[in-house]
Amino acid sequence: MKTNIFTLGFILTFFISCNYDKGNYDYIDIDEILPENAVEGIEDTYSRSSQEYLNITPKLVELDEDDYDYCWYLYGINSTVYARDTISKTKELNFFITLSSGTYRLFFKATNKKNGLALYKTTVINVASIYSNGWYILKKEDNSSDLDLIDIEGKLHSSIIQTVNNKPILGNPIKISSARKSYNHLITNEDGTVKKLQNQDVIFLVTDKDLAVLNLDNMNIFNQFDNLFYEAPDVKAPQNVFTCYGGPTLINNGKAHWISNIRANSGLFNAPIIGDYSFSSYGMSYFVSGALVHDKISNSFKVATPYSTTITDITSEKLNKPFDVLYMKEQAINSMMIISNGLALVRDIETNVLKGVRLNTDWSYGGDPVMDAVDIPLDRNIYNGKIFALNNNNNVLYYSEGKNKLNMYNILSTQENLNIVTYPDNEAIKSINHMSVLYSSNSFDQLAVLTSTGNGWKLYLYNFVGTTSEIVTPEIASYSGTGEPQYVTYLSSDILYVN
Amino acid sequence: MKGLNKYIFITCIILLVTGCKEKVTMLYEDVDALYFYNGTDRTNDYFQKDSVVYTFFFEEESRTSDTIEIIICTTGDVYNYDREIPLVQINESEKFAAVSGRDYISFDDEEMKKILTMPAGKNLVKIPIIALKSSDMTFNEYRLKLSFKDNQYFSTGIDEFSSILIKISNMASKPASWDGSWSSYFGQWGGEKMKFLINYVGFDDFDNPSNYDLSIISFFQISANNKLIEYNKQREKQNLPPLTEADGTIVEFPK
C-alpha cells in the first residue's frame, strides 16, 4: 500500500510541474516605452578631422530627460584595432577627436532609471586625420628638420614633428615622399609580444643625417634610420626615397635599398641591391615597380626595383653619352593608376650641353625609357637655373636661378618664358611643385612656389589657365611661416604615392 | 522492503568493488635512474635526438676545442644534494670510435668530474662535452657513444634512452632542409658556401626555414651576394682566387 502511495505521489509531481501558468501581468505596448523616433538631434553621418570637436545635442521626444542615464560609445567599422569604447556619459556630446582616420559607428544610449529599458540611436563618424591632406613645407630650424602643414582649411600647423614627438629630425632637410596604405610597422608591447601594424599611411622624411618614417595619422615617428634596416649600412648618408606600389626604394650613400610590398615584410629596408653602381639623388618613381635613377659610375640611368635583387641597366639610343642630372621627376597625376611621363634635365658631360628629356614612366613598356632628348640652345637662361619643377600636363619646366624670379622652359619647343612672376627682392625661390588631384571630390591643380624671406618662408599657390602650363596671376593664396624652407609638396589621401 | 534492501546492498558492493582499481606500477617512478633527453621543448629550448653531429668546419681555424651540450634527465625523486653522473663511453672498440683525451676531454678529468653532476633539487641538467679537434678529423668522423653505469645514486634507467651518439669531425655536412628550401636562395650546397653564410653573412639557422618571411630571406640572399663580392675583392688584393669549394667549384649565390 505504501509503495502505491509513493508511486501515485511521484506521478502527480510530474503533472503539477506541467501546469500552465496563466499569470496576472499587465503588458504595455512597446511603442509606449520605446517609441520610434524618440531621439532627435542626431544626424545619420558626421565628418570630422582628428583634433576637432564633435558636438551633438540629442533630444528625447515627449519623454522626461531626467528619467534617463546617458552613454555614448563607438567602435571602428573598418578596423579591428579599435574596440568598443565609452566616450561620454552625458546627454550632450562634446568629444575631442583623437581617433585614427577611418569610419566609426557611434552609439547614443539613454537608459530609463526606473525600468532599465534603453533607447538607442546610432550614427557614423568619418574621421580624417588633419595630417592627411594639405601643403607640407619641409624646413630647417635650429639645425634640424621639421614640417609645417597648411591643412585643407588653410590653417597653418607649425613644426608638427617637434610638437607631436617633442623632437625634430636631425640633419639638413632634403625631401619628403609619402606612401598610402602600404607600410608595415612592428610594435613591441610591454610584455614582449610583437604587434604588426599593416598598410599604414606614412611620410618618408629624408635629411642628410637621418631618415624618419612618420605615421600620417598622427605624425608619430614610426622609425628612424638606425632601426630601419635588417642590417644598418656602415655609412649614414640618405639621399632620396622613391615610393611606388612595389614598395619604397631608399638611396643611401649611392646604394639602393628597398622594402618589398610584394613580400611579407616588417617595414625594414633590405641590404643594398646587388650591382656595381653609385646612385645620385636624382630619379623618378615608376608608379608600379621601383625607380629610374641616375648612376654616377656609368653616368646613365639604371632601374632599382623591389621586384629584383639586382640593378637593371638601361641602354638608351637617344641618350647614349655620359650625362649627369640636374632635375628629374615623374609627372604625377593622382596615383599610380594614371600612366604618364617623366621629365629630366641632364647635362652632357663631354659637351656641357643641357638636354630636356622626356621619359616613359611605364616600366611594363620596358626597353629604352627615353622618349626624347632635346638639346637646349646655349643662349637659354635655364643654364643658370638652380631650382626646377615640372608641369604635370605639359613638357614644361619651371625654374629659378635661386633668386626671386619664376621662369618657364618648354623642353620640346625650347621656348622660354622669363620672369612670369617676380617676388619681393628679399625673397629667394627654394622649391617649386605642381601638384594635381583630379577625378576626386577634393580635386585641385595648383603650382606652389616656396620662397625664403630671410627670417622665414612664404608659400604662393597658383591656378592654371585650363590645362596649360600657364599660371594665373596673382596667386590664389599665400601663407607664411618660420624656419628656413627646403621643399614643398601636397599630400592627399587621393594620391597613393607622392615623390 | 526486504527485497529493496537486498538491491541497495548489492549496489553498494558493486560501487565499492569498482571504486578499488588495481594500482598500476609506473615504470621507473620510484627508481632513481638516468636517461638522455629525447624530444623538443621550445619553451625551455630543449632539443635532443639520439645522436648529435658536431663539426669544427664552420668554426675559425684557430679553434681547437668546442662544447657540445647534452641533456641528461633523471627518473625518481629529486634530492637536496648533488648526485654524481656516471657517464661512460661504450664504443671504444669500434672503428672510428672517439678516443678519450684525443677527441674529447676525458670524463676522468678533474674539471669534468665536477661538471658531471645532477645538481640538488634538479631532475634535468645540460652537460658540456668538450670536443677536441684533431688533424684526422678533416677526413674522418669520430663517434662517441655515451651511456651510464650504475653508482650509489643511480641504477639502470629507460633502455630506449640509455645511450646517445656524438659524431665529431672537421668536415662540412649538408643540412637536411637545404634542398627544397635554402637552395632556392643560396644555390647548390657546398661546405665553403655554408661556412661563408655562417661567418660572413651571419646566418646559421638552417634547420628552421619556416621561421623566416620572404623579406628577411631575400635580405640574407642579397647580403650574401654583396659580401661575397667584397670578400673576393679582398682575396684579389692578396692575389688569391675567388672563394672556391674543395673540389674547385667557385662559390656563387643566385641573384
Side-chain angles (χ1 to χ4, degrees):
Chain A
M1 186 60 191
K2 273 184 185 174
T3 305
N4 291 339
I5 290 170
F6 275 128
T7 306
L8 188 63
F10 191 63
I11 291 167
L12 277 175
T13 308
F14 276 97
F15 276 98
I16 290 166
S17 64
C18 297
N19 186 33
Y20 178 68
D21 180 8
K22 291 176 182 170
N24 185 25
Y25 310 113
D26 184 14
Y27 292 106
I28 303 172
D29 191 279
I30 188 74
D31 283 343
E32 290 182 40
I33 302 168
L34 301 173
E36 283 187 17
N37 305 318
V39 181
E40 286 184 350
I42 299 177
E43 296 171 19
D44 291 339
T45 60
Y46 293 88
S47 294
R48 293 289 185 276
S49 294
S50 63
Q51 315 296 314
E52 275 187 347
Y53 278 94
L54 174 64
N55 295 312
I56 304 176
T57 305
K59 187 181 174 190
L60 303 191
V61 181
E62 296 176 4
L63 294 170
D64 187 347
E65 294 183 338
D66 292 336
D67 286 346
Y68 289 81
D69 288 326
Y70 299 96
C71 173
W72 295 84
Y73 60 90
L74 56 76
Y75 65 83
I77 292 175
N78 300 329
S79 161
T80 55
V81 299
Y82 200 85
R84 169 178 158 160
D85 194 11
T86 300
I87 57 172
S88 175
K89 290 198 170 181
T90 59
K91 184 170 76 71
E92 286 80 19
L93 182 67
N94 182 29
F95 177 49
F96 184 67
I97 300 172
T98 55
L99 302 166
S100 301
S101 56
T103 305
Y104 297 83
R105 189 170 298 284
L106 175 65
F107 288 81
F108 169 73
K109 180 183 177 185
T111 308
N112 191 301
K113 294 174 185 175
K114 295 171 184 168
N115 58 25
L117 294 170
L119 293 164
Y120 286 91
K121 177 79 178 179
T122 66
T123 181
V124 169
I125 322 173
N126 295 308
V127 177
S129 163
I130 57 162
Y131 305 115
S132 196
N133 299 280
W135 287 101
Y136 276 84
I137 292 99
L138 176 62
K139 65 178 187 177
K140 180 179 177 182
E141 206 158 44
D142 301 329
N143 292 318
S144 294
S145 297
D146 210 324
L147 290 168
D148 289 349
L149 165 66
I150 295 156
D151 68 21
I152 51 175
E153 307 291 336
K155 184 182 172 187
L156 172 66
H157 304 263
S158 294
S159 304
I160 49 182
I161 300 176
Q162 172 72 46
T163 304
V164 171
N165 299 280
N166 283 323
K167 62 173 184 181
I169 306 300
L170 291 179
N172 294 311
I174 295 177
K175 195 197 125 175
I176 62 169
S177 45
S178 76
R180 303 277 174 162
K181 307 198 183 321
S182 61
Y183 183 78
N184 297 333
H185 177 62
L186 295 186
I187 293 175
T188 304
N189 298 316
E190 286 181 1
D191 62 1
T193 55
V194 176
K195 176 181 171 185
K196 185 188 273 191
L197 299 178
Q198 302 214 36
N199 304 324
Q200 301 292 296
D201 294 353
V202 293
I203 290 176
F204 294 93
L205 191 157
V206 185
T207 77
D208 62 353
K209 291 189 174 64
D210 206 350
L211 167 65
V213 181
L214 305 165
N215 181 351
L216 245 173
D217 245 356
N218 52 26
M219 276 299 150
N220 282 328
I221 298 170
F222 265 152
N223 229 334
Q224 286 176 268
F225 189 97
D226 291 342
N227 299 311
L228 267 170
F229 296 85
Y230 287 116
E231 183 179 69
D234 294 333
V235 179
K236 188 193 291 188
Q239 297 166 243
N240 208 337
V241 170
F242 302 102
T243 57
C244 74
Y245 176 79
T249 301
L250 162 69
I251 311 300
N252 179 72
N253 193 35
K255 292 295 178 185
H257 306 250
W258 45 246
I259 298 170
S260 173
N261 286 344
I262 57 174
R263 298 173 167 90
N265 74 78
S266 305
L268 299 179
F269 283 101
N270 212 303
I273 304 177
I274 303 159
D276 187 19
Y277 64 95
S278 178
F279 282 149
S280 73
S281 300
Y282 296 102
M284 69 173 193
S285 171
Y286 276 133
F287 295 107
V288 175
S289 52
L292 182 73
V293 194
H294 174 249
D295 170 35
K296 291 189 289 184
I297 293 177
S298 62
N299 289 306
S300 65
F301 291 133
K302 290 180 186 293
V303 172
T305 167
Y307 292 84
S308 172
T309 57
T310 56
I311 291 294
T312 306
D313 293 334
I314 294 289
T315 306
S316 173
E317 284 186 13
K318 292 175 178 166
L319 200 58
N320 55 9
K321 291 183 179 173
F323 62 87
D324 56 21
V325 176
L326 282 72
Y327 173 78
M328 188 171 169
K329 195 173 182 292
E330 71 276 10
Q331 290 177 306
I333 301 173
N334 281 24
S335 63
M336 61 168 188
M337 301 306 290
I338 295 180
I339 304 300
S340 186
N341 298 327
L343 299 182
L345 185 64
V346 309
R347 185 179 67 88
D348 185 314
I349 288 177
E350 292 172 6
T351 63
N352 274 330
V353 170
L354 296 184
K355 291 171 187 286
V357 178
R358 210 155 56 100
L359 298 155
N360 192 308
T361 55
D362 181 6
W363 179 236
S364 60
Y365 160 85
D368 184 356
V370 178
M371 300 162 73
D372 304 286
V374 181
D375 285 359
I376 297 177
L378 293 171
D379 62 352
R380 298 295 189 266
N381 188 58
I382 196 170
Y383 276 84
N384 299 315
K386 290 190 172 67
I387 309 292
F388 303 95
L390 56 67
N391 180 282
N392 282 330
N393 307 310
N394 300 279
N395 302 309
V396 163
L397 295 176
Y398 302 95
Y399 74 92
S400 158
E401 297 171 47
K403 297 176 184 171
N404 64 337
K405 291 181 171 59
L406 181 67
N407 310 296
M408 282 168 63
Y409 178 83
N410 187 307
I411 64 167
L412 292 185
S413 71
T414 75
Q415 294 304 304
E416 266 186 327
N417 193 352
L418 301 178
N419 305 334
I420 52 176
V421 183
T422 300
Y423 298 97
D425 289 343
N426 67 326
E427 293 185 32
I429 295 172
K430 291 293 181 181
S431 179
I432 311 164
N433 211 339
H434 175 196
M435 297 300 292
S436 311
V437 179
L438 303 181
Y439 320 115
S440 158
S441 56
N442 300 314
S443 291
F444 81 97
D445 192 27
Q446 291 175 355
L447 184 76
V449 178
L450 180 67
T451 67
S452 168
T453 60
N455 56 3
W457 57 260
K458 198 153 184 192
L459 178 67
Y460 301 87
L461 302 178
Y462 300 92
N463 278 336
F464 290 93
V465 178
T467 56
T468 70
S469 54
E470 189 183 337
I471 58 171
V472 178
T473 54
E475 71 274 8
I476 54 164
S478 66
Y479 303 91
S480 57
T482 60
E484 193 178 326
Q486 165 67 21
Y487 186 75
V488 62
T489 193
Y490 190 88
L491 300 187
S492 162
S493 49
D494 291 313
I495 311 177
L496 290 179
Y497 309 105
V498 174
N499 286 290
Chain B
M1 200 61 200
K2 219 172 188 179
L4 185 63
N5 285 341
K6 185 173 77 180
Y7 289 122
I8 290 171
F9 178 74
I10 291 169
T11 304
C12 289
I13 295 297
I14 290 170
L15 286 173
L16 284 173
V17 169
T18 53
C20 300
K21 191 180 175 187
E22 183 187 0
K23 186 184 178 191
V24 177
T25 304
M26 296 294 287
L27 288 174
Y28 307 108
E29 190 180 56
D30 299 323
V31 179
D32 294 331
L34 292 162
Y35 67 96
F36 294 99
Y37 180 85
N38 193 300
T40 303
D41 179 351
R42 292 189 190 282
T43 309
N44 293 304
D45 195 23
Y46 298 153
F47 174 79
Q48 189 165 279
K49 296 293 179 190
D50 55 5
S51 67
V52 178
V53 177
Y54 175 81
T55 176
F56 284 100
F57 184 82
F58 301 119
E59 306 300 330
E60 293 173 5
E61 288 288 329
S62 57
R63 183 179 284 277
T64 56
S65 66
D66 206 354
T67 300
I68 305 163
E69 275 191 338
I70 57 170
I71 305 168
I72 294 173
C73 305
T74 68
T75 58
D77 290 334
V78 295
Y79 296 88
N80 61 357
Y81 49 83
D82 293 348
R83 291 176 288 170
E84 179 194 342
I85 296 174
L87 191 65
V88 291
Q89 182 178 2
I90 58 170
N91 67 332
E92 289 101 330
S93 59
E94 293 176 5
K95 192 179 180 184
F96 296 119
V99 176
S100 170
R102 185 193 70 180
D103 300 324
Y104 69 98
I105 298 282
S106 166
F107 302 144
D108 294 330
D109 181 272
E110 288 304 318
E111 289 302 313
M112 279 303 294
K113 279 184 180 174
K114 291 178 193 169
I115 293 168
L116 289 169
T117 299
M118 182 62 66
K122 300 283 185 187
N123 61 356
L124 181 148
V125 65
K126 288 182 177 179
I127 296 290
I129 307 297
I130 314 295
L132 302 173
K133 184 163 76 175
S134 65
S135 55
D136 281 356
M137 286 181 178
T138 308
F139 310 103
N140 298 314
E141 182 181 74
Y142 289 95
R143 299 157 67 87
L144 172 61
K145 193 164 190 180
L146 301 175
S147 188
F148 309 102
K149 61 184 180 184
D150 291 355
N151 69 0
Q152 65 192 94
Y153 304 109
F154 302 107
S155 56
T156 305
I158 306 170
D159 287 344
E160 193 182 353
F161 306 137
S162 65
S163 68
I164 192 167
L165 180 64
I166 301 174
K167 301 172 186 174
I168 308 167
S169 78
N170 192 13
M171 300 185 293
S173 57
K174 182 177 170 181
S177 58
W178 189 278
D179 292 337
S181 179
W182 300 117
S183 58
S184 304
Y185 310 101
F186 301 140
Q188 193 174 4
W189 182 85
E192 290 297 335
K193 178 181 280 186
M194 195 161 146
K195 192 173 185 176
F196 184 84
L197 285 168
I198 293 168
N199 292 334
Y200 290 90
V201 182
F203 182 72
D204 61 2
D205 190 14
F206 297 100
D207 293 331
N208 301 296
S210 60
N211 284 357
Y212 299 92
D213 66 35
L214 283 175
S215 284
I216 195 162
I217 290 174
S218 69
F219 160 71
F220 285 122
Q221 181 188 359
I222 296 174
S223 187
N225 271 285
N226 287 329
K227 289 184 175 174
L228 185 60
I229 291 167
E230 288 303 311
Y231 184 77
N232 282 335
K233 278 182 186 171
Q234 295 301 319
R235 287 177 66 89
E236 194 177 355
K237 285 179 187 170
Q238 299 164 32
N239 293 320
L240 293 169
L243 183 65
T244 54
E245 299 292 350
D247 64 0
T249 306
I250 293 176
V251 173
E252 289 179 322
F253 295 102
K255 288 175 179 157

